[in-house]
Amino acid sequence: MENLIAEAADIIINSNLTLALTGAGISVESGIPDFRSAEGLWSKYDPAEYATIEAFRANPEKVWNMLREMDAVVSGAKPNKAHLGLGELEKMGYLHFIITQNIDNLHQEGGAKNVIEYHGNSRTLSCIWCGKRYGVEEKRDQFPPRCECGKILKPDVVFFGEPIPADALNRSFQLASSAEALLVIGTSAVVSPANTIPTVAKQNNATIIEINMEKTHLTDSITDIFLQGSAGEIVDALVREVKRKGSFRP
Ligand code: APR
């Protein structure tokens, strides 16, 4: 593994445009379950019944039973070594953008500034009927949270059946088309269109460095360097190696 870490560090040091695509796996060590591992959220809640915009419109109270459980975990979560390490790489000038599928705000709390949120962020709630927006904290004592118009509010996260925010979609494909290195961290890469970002980067000759507990369908197809293990441990080791070999980039 040390050789692979050293190889990945060299790629990062020599890359002029490095991106990270992250998924729920990067936040598991912060106590937030992922979706598709054995104990993942979808093993408890059927996404067809709880995570589509149709399900929310039809029965928002029911969907809020799952959302409340997620909110309780996300609101208490702290960035782990993987979030902090990516924040350090950005500060050192070796990581340029993070494209995250996560809605937990932990990249920002881990020090990263250039974060593209593909699936929104759970820190605000909106009324899909009248459009009014609230901070999640101001409604935390209400269940389910309601708009002043009386309707039940929805978190500003992308449900299945909703579009990806246009600026996130366009910016991430633009970046993926010119990236020289792409870190793919803690994602099963099964949800479109986020899962096409590694392919776009690869088609433009980026080096794909995958960090995951287990292989994914990318590993034996487009991944160049597979660093198997926990995101916290591996990102931490990678940042230490970059620090040892690299220097602060202007
Ligand atoms: N370190 C590294 N990888 C991990 C860790 C860890 N500690 N824990 C889990 N993983 C890996 C799992 O092996 C899996 O490959 O992270 C991946 C998580 O995959 P998913 O649960 O499918 O999460 P994600 O890829 O982010 O899902 C994408 O699906 O349900 C939607 O909107 C939701 O954004 C989410 C999207």
Side-chain angles (χ1 to χ4, degrees), residues 127-130 142 144-154:
C127 180
I128 57 176
W129 284 275
C130 79
Q142 227 185 39
R146 286 185 183 276
C147 176
E148 55 203 55
C149 77
K151 294 285 191 182
I152 293 178
L153 293 167
K154 174 185 164 292

Side-chain angles (χ1 to χ4, degrees), residues 203-223:
Q203 282 166 349
N204 291 280
N205 302 317
T207 303
I208 310 297
I209 299 167
E210 186 179 12
I211 298 172
N212 201 308
M213 293 292 265
E214 57 198 13
K215 284 190 167 187
T216 67
H217 69 89
L218 300 177
T219 313
D220 296 329
S221 56
I222 66 167
T223 295

Side-chain angles (χ1 to χ4, degrees), residues 80 101 117 138 188 223:
N80 64 53
Q101 300 171 85
E117 293 179 311
E138 61 183 296
S188 60
T223 295

